[in-house]
Amino acid sequence: MGRRRQSVTIKHVAADAGVSLQTVSRVINNEPNVRPEMQKRVQASIDKLGYVPSIAAQRMSGSRSYLILAINDRERTIADWRGRQGIDWVDQMLLGGMLKCAELGYRMIFELVDTHNDHVERELRATIAALQPDGVVLTPPHSDNPLIVGLLDKAKIPFARIGSLGNGAGIPLTMDDEGSAQLATRHLIDLGHRRIGFIAGSPEYNLSGWRVDGWREEMEAAGLADEALLAWGDFSYASGEAAARTLLDSADPPTAIIVSNDQMTLATLEVARARGLEIPRDLSIISFDNTPIVRFTQPPLTAVDQPIAETVSRAVELIIAAQRGEAPSKTPTVVRGSLVERGSTAPPPKARR
């Protein structure tokens, strides 16, 4: 009777091929200095026995762990999960990261770290000591947390900083937040809007400011004023309500609003409806994120699609390349988003209700 696949270990492969455990490990890890005939012999045993390399076997070479650690903000992530509001940042993050890791023979592990915790360094040190990752993916606001960045730099662990322009250690990547805001603003200008409001996200995230910059640049390029058309939130539903009231209750309210995430956009929809405004006849709305929920609102929302999966996938590629000795570029890698047009945007009304 043949061996059951799950019982096959690296020892069985070594015995079948008549080689050492270290030789099998070098073949599994595609290490240099393995003779072609030895490579074929070991591979033949792997195929015959149906052996699937484990991380433990891959680690035998001692040079790599084959683990990439992805870190997200604990407080916000748990709040999003508990709210069950259709937010899929983590889903998209894991989609891009895990698929790319699997393609390259790695595994991704996901951890939550509270960036506001006084013990963030101790917490992260413990995680790194336990997992010994080959690299780390940082997401906002961790990307620009000097304690986290400094710790990883000192530990000589390759790490990617999503939503960061770098200005120091690590591999910076952005999703072109400024360009995406310009794209959304230009879409509304092309429809004929002249008073285009903007609801910004939390100032804690650099990308919030980049989006405001993109909106302002496009408004200025069109010769349009933006005074009194900017309101700040913090990405929460409640802050979206307050910001939308500020804009819509002004003496000369906007005919269109760009909102920095889907939760604040849902709040903006409700505030508008409470004032008897019909979307998009009386008010056009564009959201950032393009999470699943925006397709099921009435009307479905025009949205900036954030390339989260693609960005994390690229981050993993760059980390593994750095781990293998390639010098990372200090110039930020830009992964551009797109605008998905749906039913929430239209030319402005001739007269507001």
Side-chain angles (χ1 to χ4, degrees), residues 59-107:
R59 283 183 167 186
M60 284 188 65
S61 67
S63 60
R64 282 177 272 177
S65 69
Y66 291 88
L67 296 176
I68 301 296
L69 174 63
I71 296 177
N72 212 46
D73 181 60
R74 175 184 285 126
E75 182 179 355
R76 187 173 297 280
T77 301
I78 291 175
D80 290 344
W81 283 343
R82 286 176 172 164
R84 303 179 71 178
Q85 296 173 321
I87 298 168
D88 71 342
W89 165 272
V90 173
D91 292 347
Q92 291 298 309
M93 176 182 172
L94 295 179
L95 171 65
M98 293 178 76
L99 289 181
K100 182 55 66 174
C101 280
E103 177 187 326
L104 299 176
Y106 283 67
R107 297 292 183 272

Side-chain angles (χ1 to χ4, degrees), residues 259-338:
V259 192
S260 288
N261 78 332
D262 289 340
Q263 293 305 305
M264 294 194 298
T265 304
L266 296 179
T268 301
L269 279 173
E270 291 307 309
V271 171
R273 285 176 179 144
R275 282 150 178 73
L277 301 176
E278 184 176 326
I279 312 297
R281 186 190 68 188
D282 303 314
L283 178 70
S284 287
I285 296 177
I286 295 180
S287 179
F288 266 80
D289 289 346
N290 197 35
T291 58
I293 198 168
V294 302
R295 292 174 291 177
F296 304 108
T297 58
Q298 290 299 323
L301 289 167
T302 295
V304 171
D305 187 70
Q306 293 275 273
I308 300 165
E310 184 182 351
T311 304
V312 177
S313 175
R314 184 69 181 127
V316 168
E317 285 183 328
L318 293 171
I319 286 171
I320 293 174
Q323 203 277 337
R324 291 175 175 171
E326 294 183 23
S329 172
K330 292 299 181 183
T331 302
T333 296
V334 180
V335 184
R336 303 190 188 282
S338 60

Side-chain angles (χ1 to χ4, degrees), residues 115 137-150 152 159-174 203-208 210:
T115 196
V137 177
L138 298 178
T139 59
H142 297 325
S143 310
D144 286 311
N145 183 315
L147 295 177
I148 294 175
V149 169
L152 293 175
F159 61 101
R161 301 168 64 181
I162 293 177
S164 174
L165 294 179
N167 301 320
I171 304 167
L173 300 94
T174 77
E204 181 182 9
Y205 294 72
N206 286 334
L207 59 85
S208 295
W210 299 337

Side-chain angles (χ1 to χ4, degrees), residues 2 22 30 70 101 106-107 142 154-155 177 187 215 243 250 269 344:
Q22 287 74 18
N30 295 314
C101 280
Y106 283 67
R107 297 292 183 272
H142 297 325
K154 186 176 181 180
D177 291 273
H187 173 67
W215 164 73
S250 63
L269 279 173
S344 66

Side-chain angles (χ1 to χ4, degrees), residues 184-227:
T185 308
R186 172 51 57 186
H187 173 67
L188 293 169
I189 291 172
D190 289 344
L191 287 173
H193 292 275
R194 293 296 175 264
R195 292 193 57 75
I196 301 170
F198 196 93
I199 297 179
S202 170
E204 181 182 9
Y205 294 72
N206 286 334
L207 59 85
S208 295
W210 299 337
R211 293 176 185 180
V212 171
D213 291 342
W215 164 73
R216 278 188 168 144
E217 287 171 15
E218 204 63 29
M219 293 286 279
E220 290 174 5
L224 302 176
D226 58 26
E227 292 84 0

Side-chain angles (χ1 to χ4, degrees), residues 28 30 37 39 46 97 113 124 165 192 211 223 230 293 305 346:
I28 292 170
N30 295 314
E37 60 270 23
Q39 178 90 25
I46 289 173
V113 172
L124 189 55
L165 294 179
R211 293 176 185 180
L230 174 64
I293 198 168
D305 187 70

